[in-house]
Amino acid sequence: MSLESVAQAGPPPPDPTVAEIDPAAVRPGQAASEASDGRAAAKATGAMLASRLVIAALGWTGSVIIARILSPEAWGHYTFVFALLGLMAIFTDLGVGRAVMAQLIVDDPEEVARTSSAFIALRLLLGLGGYVIALAYVVILQYPGDVIRATALAGLVIVFATPGHALTVVYQSRHRLMLSAIAESLGQALQLAITIAAAIVAPYLLIFVLAPVVNEVLALSMKTVGIARRDGGLRPSRHVEFARWRSMLLDAAPLAIGFALTIALQKVDMLLLSVLDTFDAVGIYGIGYKFSDILDTFVLAAAGPIATLLVAAWPDEPGVFRQKCRTAGAALGTGGALAVAAFWPSAPQVIGLLYGDRFVVGAFAARLLVLGASLTALIVLGIYLLASAGHARSYPLVALGGLVLNVVLNLLLIPHLSYDGAAIATVATLGAVLVVLWVVIIRTVPIIGMLPLGTLSTLAVVCAAVCLGGTVLVRWVPWPVVSVMTALIVAAVALPLLRASARTPGRHTKVQVSKS
């Protein structure tokens, strides 16, 4: 369904099952105005970034406790189980959230209510399916009993998280993300409390994997209560129109395939490492992901409001669309460069301090995974850009090529270099996907200069230089000082570049979209 067909469709007949909505409370054009409100998007982004900062800090603390208490093999089991559950996003997301965004920013509150209820129900079903697939995987391949039991319990995370994420998408359609931010932060705080209590009283694998389940239950409960009290068209219908699932899945199909392949190419290294090496190696490699996941978390928090702005600007405002892309690209590039510059020189010291000396051997892999996360940020932007412009069908082939490349490289490198080989394969794959993806964007989206190449190239050169210098300097200067210095240098270079990217108008072509 195109954006034009959504906007031009006439109002549907009244639905008595929709929660009571006062039509006077919804002004004409209110939904589209809210969706395209840059100031509201900035506030929503700020709320989600603050929440992600809290979640990252609390989650990091919990992972440090668990890694230090569990045996190397048990920590490997823990790491593998959650890597497998992360891979289940292939089945639980399917890109539907991005596909229905255009249907959530229309001005008909009844249409929004119907779309919301169908979307939430679909995501719940997908979560149940992902749980069954994850459990079947470890049972059929005859993983150790501890892994099977941990998967059976921890897998409930995706059952509760998938409808919770659907509610977040509904809030995101109006940039009302404060409640989601609070709910997810409180859930993470409860998870840490349970983790600490388990470490003191019952330091067992199954108790530790129970904590994230409780986290998701609390977050989902708060979001559900909040959405039920919302007015202005955000409350879902009390009746689920299952017929809507077909159009949602059809609209999302190209993006779903591409997204599934992207998740697979990012997570397949952990599964291959568990088969080609030991669970101890999986645990060491997983430490690197603890750092890269922090950057991924911030990227995804910022990407939601960005996607809403892009959907609202396409196709009538190509200049605004271009400006939002350039600003987002410069901001994401800066965030990635700062993370790499701060972490690279001090990776062994940071890992040793937080997780213990036995994990320091994975410092090189951790460095590469953080670098890979910075590349992933620009890949995510490209995916959202294609989806917003209605060109999502261009991406699956890119992702498929990346997945094949990653599997081949992992099969070649892991037997010789273990987790370092897996990290090299992952970064090489992400770099290749990034280049090919943006070539595809340039050739398919009729707008010039959506990616600030000058800004990103400058940041890359400066980041590489400070990482090299910091790695040498850390031998004589305390590592916290070195990390702060390298980050400040990158920030000093990035600030004027960010301002320039935001204000440079450049040229753009007029977008023509079929009305059929």
Side-chain angles (χ1 to χ4, degrees):
M1 181 182 294
S2 67
L3 298 180
E4 287 72 33
S5 64
V6 172
Q8 294 175 359
D15 180 0
T17 65
V18 175
E20 294 78 2
I21 299 167
D22 180 8
V26 184
R27 302 186 307 274
Q30 177 182 354
S33 175
E34 289 181 349
S36 60
D37 187 346
R39 190 171 295 179
K43 291 180 180 178
T45 302
M48 292 305 291
L49 288 177
S51 170
R52 292 301 181 262
L53 180 60
V54 172
I55 291 171
L58 297 177
W60 206 354
T61 302
S63 70
V64 169
I65 294 171
I66 297 170
R68 285 182 172 274
I69 288 181
L70 291 179
S71 67
E73 185 178 29
W75 169 250
H77 292 165
Y78 181 93
T79 303
F80 169 79
V81 166
F82 284 100
L84 175 62
L85 296 180
L87 189 60
M88 289 304 103
I90 290 174
F91 309 102
T92 61
D93 185 276
L94 292 184
V96 178
R98 286 166 285 281
V100 303
M101 181 59 71
Q103 302 172 48
L104 291 173
I105 62 175
V106 298
D107 288 316
D108 186 339
E110 293 186 0
E111 175 66 16
V112 173
R114 292 190 189 94
T115 300
S116 299
S117 60
F119 173 47
I120 294 166
L122 176 58
R123 286 296 300 265
L124 175 59
L125 180 64
L126 293 173
L128 291 169
Y131 175 81
V132 172
I133 292 169
L135 190 56
Y137 177 84
V138 294
V139 171
I140 293 172
L141 294 186
Q142 297 182 342
Y143 274 82
D146 286 346
V147 172
I148 295 175
R149 286 186 289 272
T151 303
L153 181 56
L156 295 173
V157 165
I158 57 178
V159 175
F160 296 112
T162 45
H165 292 163
L167 290 172
T168 297
V169 171
V170 177
Y171 285 120
Q172 176 189 318
S173 66
R174 299 294 192 278
H175 298 302
R176 301 175 185 176
L177 291 172
M178 182 62 72
L179 178 61
S180 290
I182 294 173
E184 292 170 10
S185 298
L186 290 178
Q188 191 67 50
L190 180 59
Q191 177 179 330
L192 178 59
I194 295 174
T195 299
I196 294 173
I200 296 172
V201 179
Y204 305 117
L205 175 62
L206 290 181
I207 303 299
F208 285 131
V209 300
L210 175 64
V213 178
V214 179
N215 172 354
E216 294 298 341
V217 170
L218 175 62
L220 174 61
S221 300
M222 292 184 63
K223 292 177 188 178
T224 301
V225 171
I227 204 76
R229 295 178 177 176
R230 286 289 185 182
D231 57 6
L234 278 187
R235 277 183 291 182
S237 167
R238 292 192 293 266
H239 175 70
V240 178
E241 296 181 358
F242 299 103
R244 290 177 176 264
W245 288 3
R246 182 176 182 274
S247 63
M248 288 181 181
L249 292 172
L250 287 176
D251 287 348
L255 187 61
I257 296 170
F259 182 77
L261 293 170
T262 301
I263 293 294
L265 75 86
Q266 289 180 306
K267 300 296 184 181
V268 72
D269 54 350
M270 194 76 80
L271 300 189
L272 291 173
L273 190 61
S274 72
V275 174
L276 299 175
D277 211 321
T278 65
F279 277 105
D280 188 21
V282 171
I284 292 172
Y285 189 54
I287 293 298
Y289 271 115
K290 295 300 178 184
F291 293 94
S292 67
D293 285 349
I294 293 174
L295 183 55
D296 287 340
T297 298
F298 284 108
V299 169
L300 293 176
I306 291 171
T308 304
L309 292 173
L310 294 178
V311 170
W314 183 270
D316 297 324
E317 299 178 285
V320 174
F321 189 90
R322 177 185 182 276
Q323 181 190 28
K324 300 302 182 186
C325 289
R326 289 182 61 85
T327 302
L332 293 173
T334 298
L338 286 170
V340 173
F343 181 69
W344 190 283
S346 309
Q349 293 85 350
V350 173
I351 292 174
L353 175 66
L354 294 175
Y355 292 97
D357 292 337
R358 68 186 175 98
F359 293 108
V360 172
V361 292
F364 178 68
R367 285 167 167 159
L368 291 181
L369 290 176
V370 172
L371 174 61
S374 69
L375 301 178
T376 301
L378 297 175
I379 293 175
V380 169
L381 176 62
I383 296 172
Y384 275 79
L385 189 157
L386 284 174
S388 302
H391 292 281
R393 64 176 56 88
S394 304
Y395 179 65
L397 284 178
V398 177
L400 177 61
L403 176 59
V404 172
L405 176 62
N406 201 18
V407 170
V408 171
L409 290 177
N410 271 287
L411 291 175
L412 291 174
L413 295 175
I414 287 177
H416 302 287
L417 299 174
S418 187
Y419 39 79
D420 286 341
I424 293 170
T426 297
V427 174
T429 299
L430 292 173
V433 169
L434 175 62
V435 172
V436 175
L437 172 61
W438 279 94
V439 170
V440 169
I441 290 172
I442 291 171
R443 294 176 65 89
T444 57
V445 180
I447 299 178
I448 296 172
M450 289 179 291
L451 192 67
L453 290 176
T455 295
L456 296 176
S457 299
T458 302
L459 287 172
V461 172
V462 172
C463 182
V466 299
C467 286
L468 179 61
T471 303
V472 175
L473 190 62
V474 79
R475 300 175 184 174
W476 301 285
V477 180
W479 67 264
V481 176
V482 174
S483 290
V484 171
M485 287 175 55
T486 52
L488 287 177
I489 292 172
V490 171
V493 174
L495 286 177
L497 294 175
L498 282 170
R499 287 194 290 266
S501 296
R503 68 169 179 263
T504 303
R507 298 180 296 124
H508 59 80
T509 59
K510 192 172 183 178
V511 180
Q512 299 291 338
V513 181
S514 173
K515 298 293 183 181
S516 59

